[in-house]
Amino acid sequence: MEDTNEPKLEEKLMSAAEERTPLNFIEDTAIDYANYTEFDSSKEREKFNENVEEMLTKLEEFCGLVDMIREDNNLCLKETLPRIQEKCSQMQEIFEKIDKLEAFVGVVRSDMAVLEECVNKAEDEMGSLSGLKKMLSSFVGQKKQVSKSDKKNVFVAPKTFNTEDFFPKPLESKLPEEGKSAINEKDQ
């Protein structure tokens, strides 16, 4: 089979070589070059137009996003920010109350420490069983004369806080009429 194919190949090559004259070669080359310069620009134009449309769509979306951000920014600057500033000024009063309350807690803590110290001192002076002794002596019926040493242990209360210094009483004029009558009834 290979033998039959070889002569056909040779015949084709020879016929091609015979047809290939310099003039034919130049004509073929010119036709090939002409084919290179001619191309279907409609397909390329379609792709280009599709790309341009896609870019325009993305640009419109981006512009919409920028406009939305501007609107939100204006909303924040013109409406939300003034409301926040107003709330902050209202919170200043609460902050001041918290500071006063912290000061009050500090005073109460220090006064409680002083009172605890007084209680501990009194327990040391009276003895830890003094309450039990008094209870037993009341059952037995022995009344003991108060000695001079017991009189010496007089309790002097330390100065403590006054809640009215920190929480002033509301004025009676601010109370409604029902509240005034309730206060007057308690006083009597």
Side-chain angles (χ1 to χ4, degrees):
M1 272 190 174
E2 292 181 20
D3 294 333
T4 57
N5 282 341
E6 286 183 23
K8 288 183 183 178
L9 252 175
E10 286 180 18
E11 288 176 15
K12 285 183 181 178
L13 288 174
M14 286 196 142
S15 65
E18 289 174 5
E19 293 176 10
R20 288 260 194 215
T21 62
L23 188 59
N24 287 341
F25 181 72
I26 292 174
E27 286 176 2
D28 289 340
T29 306
I31 291 170
D32 288 341
Y33 279 123
N35 288 336
Y36 283 126
T37 58
E38 292 178 10
F39 61 94
D40 188 16
S41 65
S42 63
K43 290 180 183 177
E44 294 295 322
R45 193 176 317 134
E46 283 180 29
K47 286 181 183 178
F48 180 75
N49 287 338
E50 286 175 7
N51 286 338
V52 168
E53 288 295 324
E54 186 178 329
M55 295 293 271
L56 287 174
T57 303
K58 288 180 181 179
L59 183 63
E60 284 180 34
E61 290 173 359
F62 179 74
C63 287
L65 182 65
V66 168
D67 288 340
M68 191 178 359
I69 290 171
R70 281 187 187 139
E71 289 173 12
D72 286 348
N73 208 11
N74 287 335
L75 175 73
C76 286
L77 290 175
K78 292 180 181 176
E79 292 180 22
T80 308
L81 192 60
R83 278 194 247 152
I84 290 173
Q85 289 174 335
E86 181 182 331
K87 291 294 181 185
C88 282
S89 63
Q90 291 173 357
M91 292 297 288
Q92 284 299 83
E93 295 173 15
I94 293 172
F95 295 153
E96 289 172 7
K97 287 179 181 179
I98 289 172
D99 291 341
K100 288 178 182 178
L101 189 60
E102 285 177 346
F104 175 70
V105 167
V107 168
V108 170
R109 183 178 295 131
S110 65
D111 287 351
M112 289 304 297
V114 169
L115 288 174
E116 260 185 63
E117 190 175 310
C118 287
V119 168
N120 289 339
K121 183 178 176 185
E123 284 178 350
D124 288 344
E125 288 176 2
M126 299 299 280
S128 60
L129 298 175
S130 66
L132 182 61
K133 286 178 184 176
K134 285 181 184 177
M135 198 180 342
L136 290 175
S137 66
S138 66
F139 286 124
V140 174
Q142 295 176 355
K143 290 197 175 182
K144 185 171 133 182
Q145 296 271 337
V146 177
S147 68
K148 291 182 180 180
S149 64
D150 287 342
K151 289 183 180 179
K152 181 171 81 173
N153 296 332
V154 176
F155 176 71
V156 178
K159 185 175 186 226
T160 58
F161 66 92
N162 186 1
T163 55
E164 291 177 357
D165 293 342
F166 293 95
F167 303 105
K169 287 184 180 179
L171 297 174
E172 289 187 26
S173 62
K174 292 184 179 179
L175 293 175
E177 292 301 320
E178 294 173 6
K180 285 182 182 177
S181 62
I183 291 174
N184 292 336
E185 289 173 7
K186 286 182 184 177
D187 290 339
Q188 295 173 357

